[in-house]
Amino acid sequence: MRSPVVPEAVSRPTLEAVATRAGVSRATVSRVVNGGYGVRQPLAERVRRAVAELGYVPNQAARSLVTKRHDAVAVVIAEPEVRVFTDPFFALQLRGISKELTAHDNQLVLLLTEGRDDHTRVARYLAGGHVDGALVFSLHLDDPLPGLIHDAGVPTVFGGRPGWRDRTGTPMYVDTDNRGGARTAVRHLVGLGRSRIAHITGALDQTSAADRLDGYRDVMAETAGGGLDPSLVVESDFTPAGGERAMRELLGRRPDVDAVFAANDLTALGALRVLRERGLRVPEDVAVVGFDDMLPLAEQSDPPLTTVRQDIERMGRLMARLLLRGPSALHGTSVPHGASAPEVSSAPDRSSGPGGTGPAARTPGPGVILPTTLIRRASA
Amino acid sequence: MRSPVVPEAVSRPTLEAVATRAGVSRATVSRVVNGGYGVRQPLAERVRRAVAELGYVPNQAARSLVTKRHDAVAVVIAEPEVRVFTDPFFALQLRGISKELTAHDNQLVLLLTEGRDDHTRVARYLAGGHVDGALVFSLHLDDPLPGLIHDAGVPTVFGGRPGWRDRTGTPMYVDTDNRGGARTAVRHLVGLGRSRIAHITGALDQTSAADRLDGYRDVMAETAGGGLDPSLVVESDFTPAGGERAMRELLGRRPDVDAVFAANDLTALGALRVLRERGLRVPEDVAVVGFDDMLPLAEQSDPPLTTVRQDIERMGRLMARLLLRGPSALHGTSVPHGASAPEVSSAPDRSSGPGGTGPAARTPGPGVILPTTLIRRASA
DNA sequence: ATGAAAGCGCTAACAA
DNA sequence: TTGTTAGCGCTTTCAT
């Protein structure tokens, strides 16, 4: 189904028109428009004047037809859940991506998917050669999209570590150091003297959730008196309501719990609410740590939330950079696997400086892992 | 600056290839691909088979070059502030837009702007004839963008009532009934027996804020003992921090205030925090009403927020529809100016049914105004 | 109903 | 350095 024709803007001047007006050939105008190499100053000047006078703007369709480039990148957001839309995650990624693409004169084509039908639509679009590459988010373990996208033959970078096994050599991706961040969070709780530390997980079909759980287990296993107590782990789904449910269940089976590491801030907020309603004090009775540093929520909860910050906008920027420039985009950025940026900051300093990839992005294989920072507030 | 060439996907089959394979002319293939009118069944069938076997996908650049259509719409978000990114407003609009565009086989090209430089970039892009139309958001009174966009000669629909005077006949727009919603909110407070009702405004260079203020004034002026008391109006900026500041100032000059209508939920949340910190009970001492029904914030504040809901996703859908189909998109939807949907719902029923434009969209002139609903929770 | 042919506006050899 | 020319892949008259 095609939509009815939208009234067309008045016909714009063409290369030809500019050429005539400047008294040169189309080729010369083309050269000037594309950087002006190999054109003598005075001529170039004349052409530029003609361009300005006529208000000439190149027709991108014509250009793409011959260059086979589009200077456009698709952003694919698979979003079976509303969750994506209730947290700023999405918007921040986009902002980062947009900045980077803009800096390279690329356009951002947004492809939102709601269900299976949309998947084939997206695959067709990518196969149609409208864009030079794709950035893909929010994948779940069983998602068919990666396969379809691969078949479309478009260069792709994934947001978040893909959870499926290689059909095609591991794809490029950018992710947060979920496991490391989780460790930092749990260690912080341990450092506070807590010993019955629970974890409310995210949706475990997403690698971010699985990795955070792993990080939790790492620390619990190595902790004195250690050994993993499965009764301290409650599976949830990244939502506030899920957090409430999980916290209730947790209090049911472990009334002695003295700390909770929640898979994200939204979940932590749900937990906080249940704790308050039960008359338990935070952090005195139960310390709570979240993940994301989602503002303003994390700052303004009661009490303000101690949480693991990830630099979401930077993730977006990096994904775009990787797609546009290839792995070399990371030069001067990657560091040896063990190294890391300071993991705790007490000041909620949000800026990581514009532009740069920032410190300590780790690159194991085709993936780039961004570091996290523990933000201490009142809840733990 | 153009980015380095991204590796090109392997060359896709062309119309020509399909034609050869099916043993017909390019024209015939073209006809089949575009609906197949005037092609006999058996031939059409042969062509379709060839298309499938070759995995043919039409080259959109070539097509656009001749049709001068792009089946693409630009979404322009002028965003000098971070605010846009901390509330789901943006994402919900996009979702609505995306759904509608998808239903019409149109692509969504996202143009995010951070500052003046970006404005000219956007204008150039629109003038470049890449898209069939534009949807534009987040304008402030002094924004140069509308002028530039108009000059670009692209059909445009604005999100939110434009605040500037006509250079060009009033533009099409879709807006929430900000004034009516504000009235409903304030009347609700009056109905609760409150008489010293304050208003914390939004950023008054945006029409949404100005209109909500007007709605507040409407009711205050008509209320017994009425007369507008300027000391009850505090200017703010739609942010939580701004809400806190405003609430403090308000309590300074009017310690007797017994109700607050905040220009949005974020602001209301800030106010709530200050009230709590001063030991004032909500709603017993001071009733609070917000605007937006931003979830999950509004539901999960303490106490849960009574607020004026606007259907943001529907706004987006309508904008897209208006752009694609023109004003006739509203047939069967517009109602006489005075009419309105039920203004109060007690159940937080979010669904307005998929697809339809829903009830009671008002269309004064070139604008479409969507109704609001008061959602009663604990705060008022 | 089908095919032949003329471009859409641009870039990129190749000539001059 | 500048101009000439041949397409890029598709749609669309115009013949047949």
Side-chain angles (χ1 to χ4, degrees):
Chain A
M1 167 178 35
R2 309 189 102 205
S3 58
V5 179
V6 170
E8 189 56 32
V10 284
S11 69
R12 306 241 138 225
T14 69
L15 243 206
E16 178 84 53
V18 177
T20 305
R21 172 138 195 160
V24 300
S25 73
R26 278 158 30 205
T28 300
V29 177
S30 178
R31 290 184 187 108
V32 171
V33 167
N34 293 290
Y37 293 108
V39 179
R40 251 188 275 271
Q41 265 310 313
L43 240 202
E45 209 37 71
R46 247 178 40 225
V47 171
R48 267 189 274 272
R49 187 157 38 246
V51 165
E53 288 167 358
L54 262 36
Y56 169 75
V57 180
N59 178 320
Q60 181 69 21
R63 178 181 276 172
S64 290
L65 187 54
V66 30
T67 61
K68 288 164 177 341
R69 286 184 31 226
H70 305 84
D71 297 321
V73 167
V75 172
V76 182
I77 301 187
E79 167 257 338
E81 312 166 59
V82 193
R83 186 178 72 81
V84 183
F85 281 103
T86 54
D87 77 50
F89 201 92
F90 163 68
L92 285 170
Q93 296 252 34
L94 269 186
R95 202 236 286 265
I97 291 170
S98 169
K99 277 185 180 168
E100 189 68 23
L101 291 183
T102 295
H104 292 265
D105 263 9
N106 266 270
Q107 291 309 324
L108 192 172
V109 178
L110 189 64
L111 269 26
L112 260 28
T113 75
E114 307 267 351
R116 302 282 148 156
D117 296 354
D118 288 356
H119 285 177
T120 56
R121 188 194 95 233
V122 165
R124 282 186 65 81
Y125 180 80
L126 294 178
H130 304 252
V131 293
D132 301 321
L135 301 174
V136 181
F137 290 98
S138 284
L139 291 175
H140 294 240
L141 275 180
D142 60 342
D143 206 307
L145 207 48
L148 292 172
I149 289 174
H150 175 254
D151 296 344
V154 181
T156 302
V157 173
F158 289 90
R161 181 171 68 78
W164 65 92
R165 49 258 118 242
D166 292 4
R167 255 174 65 185
T168 148
T170 319
M172 290 196 288
Y173 69 90
V174 175
D175 202 357
T176 289
D177 183 7
N178 288 303
R179 188 164 186 165
R183 284 197 202 113
T184 306
V186 180
R187 284 207 193 99
H188 174 67
L189 291 169
V190 170
L192 256 31
R194 309 295 166 132
S195 57
R196 294 172 304 281
I197 302 171
H199 178 42
I200 301 178
T201 76
L204 290 175
D205 65 336
Q206 297 184 271
T207 56
S208 58
D211 292 352
R212 288 171 203 180
L213 173 56
D214 285 343
Y216 163 83
R217 284 183 174 144
D218 292 345
V219 178
M220 294 306 279
E222 80 195 14
T223 293
L228 292 163
D229 185 338
S231 71
L232 284 171
V233 175
V234 190
E235 187 167 344
S236 187
D237 59 3
F238 282 133
T239 70
E244 291 192 31
R245 238 176 288 124
M247 192 68 228
R248 288 211 175 84
E249 169 158 0
L250 186 59
L251 287 173
R253 43 193 215 214
R254 296 295 303 254
D256 62 331
V257 63
D258 62 6
V260 174
F261 166 49
N264 71 346
D265 289 351
L266 251 23
T267 300
L269 258 35
L272 240 37
R273 203 162 330 115
V274 171
L275 289 169
R276 193 186 314 132
E277 140 198 329
R278 296 291 172 91
L280 291 164
R281 292 165 308 162
V282 177
E284 294 82 353
D285 300 322
V286 181
V288 175
V289 177
F291 203 112
D292 278 352
D293 193 28
M294 180 190 304
L295 300 178
L297 255 51
E299 272 181 347
Q300 294 172 11
S301 60
D302 180 22
L305 199 61
T306 291
T307 189
V308 178
R309 171 182 296 170
Q310 50 177 332
D311 191 339
I312 300 168
E313 185 176 332
R314 185 176 162 210
M315 268 185 78
R317 235 163 38 224
L318 223 39
M319 287 179 66
R321 191 168 305 185
L322 224 44
L323 184 66
L324 256 23
R325 313 213 300 229
S328 68
L330 277 8
H331 279 337
T333 284
S334 59
V335 294
H337 192 290
S340 72
E343 284 198 345
V344 180
S345 123
S346 50
D349 166 30
R350 193 98 197 170
S351 71
S352 79
T357 51
R362 255 187 291 146
T363 73
V368 181
I369 310 294
L370 296 182
T372 58
T373 311
L374 185 71
I375 303 297
R376 292 210 48 184
R377 296 201 181 89
S379 73
Chain B
M1 165 179 38
R2 309 188 100 205
S3 58
V5 179
V6 170
E8 189 55 33
V10 284
S11 70
R12 306 239 139 226
T14 70
L15 243 206
E16 177 82 54
V18 177
T20 305
R21 172 137 195 160
V24 299
S25 73
R26 277 155 35 200
T28 299
V29 178
S30 178
R31 289 186 186 108
V32 172
V33 168
N34 293 291
Y37 294 108
V39 178
R40 251 189 274 272
Q41 266 310 314
L43 241 203
E45 210 37 72
R46 249 181 35 228
V47 171
R48 267 189 274 271
R49 187 157 38 245
V51 165
E53 288 167 357
L54 263 35
Y56 169 75
V57 180
N59 178 321
Q60 181 67 23
R63 177 181 276 172
S64 290
L65 186 54
V66 30
T67 61
K68 287 163 181 338
R69 289 186 26 230
H70 306 83
D71 297 319
V73 168
V75 171
V76 182
I77 300 187
E79 166 258 338
E81 312 164 58
V82 192
R83 185 180 72 80
V84 183
F85 281 103
T86 53
D87 77 50
F89 201 92
F90 162 69
L92 285 170
Q93 297 253 33
L94 269 186
R95 202 236 286 264
I97 291 170
S98 169
K99 277 185 181 167
E100 189 68 23
L101 292 183
T102 294
H104 291 266
D105 263 8
N106 266 270
Q107 291 309 324
L108 193 173
V109 179
L110 188 63
L111 269 27
L112 260 28
T113 75
E114 306 268 350
R116 302 283 146 157
D117 296 354
D118 288 354
H119 284 178
T120 56
R121 188 193 95 234
V122 166
R124 283 185 64 83
Y125 180 80
L126 295 178
H130 304 251
V131 292
D132 301 322
L135 301 173
V136 181
F137 291 97
S138 283
L139 291 174
H140 294 241
L141 274 180
D142 59 342
D143 206 307
L145 208 47
L148 292 171
I149 288 173
H150 175 255
D151 295 345
V154 181
T156 302
V157 173
F158 290 90
R161 182 172 67 79
W164 65 93
R165 49 258 120 242
D166 293 3
R167 256 173 65 183
T168 148
T170 319
M172 289 197 289
Y173 69 90
V174 175
D175 202 357
T176 288
D177 184 7
N178 288 303
R179 188 164 185 164
R183 284 198 202 112
T184 306
V186 180
R187 283 208 194 98
H188 174 67
L189 291 169
V190 170
L192 256 29
R194 311 295 165 132
S195 57
R196 294 172 303 280
I197 303 171
H199 178 43
I200 301 178
T201 77
L204 290 174
D205 64 336
Q206 296 184 271
T207 56
S208 57
D211 292 351
R212 289 171 202 180
L213 173 57
D214 285 342
Y216 164 83
R217 283 184 175 142
D218 292 344
V219 178
M220 293 305 279
E222 81 196 13
T223 293
L228 293 163
D229 185 338
S231 71
L232 284 170
V233 176
V234 191
E235 187 168 344
S236 187
D237 60 3
F238 281 132
T239 69
E244 291 191 31
R245 238 176 288 123
M247 193 66 228
R248 289 212 173 83
E249 168 158 0
L250 185 59
L251 288 173
R253 42 194 216 214
R254 295 294 304 252
D256 63 331
V257 64
D258 62 7
V260 174
F261 166 50
N264 71 347
D265 289 350
L266 251 22
T267 301
L269 257 35
L272 240 36
R273 202 161 332 115
V274 170
L275 289 168
R276 191 185 316 132
E277 141 197 327
R278 296 291 172 90
L280 291 165
R281 293 165 309 162
V282 177
E284 294 82 354
D285 300 322
V286 181
V288 175
V289 178
F291 204 112
D292 279 350
D293 193 29
M294 179 191 304
L295 299 178
L297 256 50
E299 272 181 349
Q300 294 171 11
S301 60
D302 179 24
L305 199 60
T306 290
T307 188
V308 178
R309 171 183 296 170
Q310 49 177 333
D311 190 340
I312 300 169
E313 185 175 332
R314 184 175 163 211
M315 269 186 77
R317 234 164 36 223
L318 222 40
M319 287 179 67
R321 191 168 306 185
L322 223 45
L323 184 65
L324 257 21
R325 313 214 299 229
S328 68
L330 278 7
H331 280 337
T333 284
S334 59
V335 294
H337 192 290
S340 72
E343 285 198 344
V344 180
S345 124
S346 49
D349 165 31
R350 192 99 197 169
S351 72
S352 78
T357 51
R362 256 186 290 147
T363 72
V368 180
I369 310 293
L370 296 181
T372 58
T373 311
L374 185 70
I375 303 298
R376 292 211 48 184
R377 297 201 182 89
S379 74

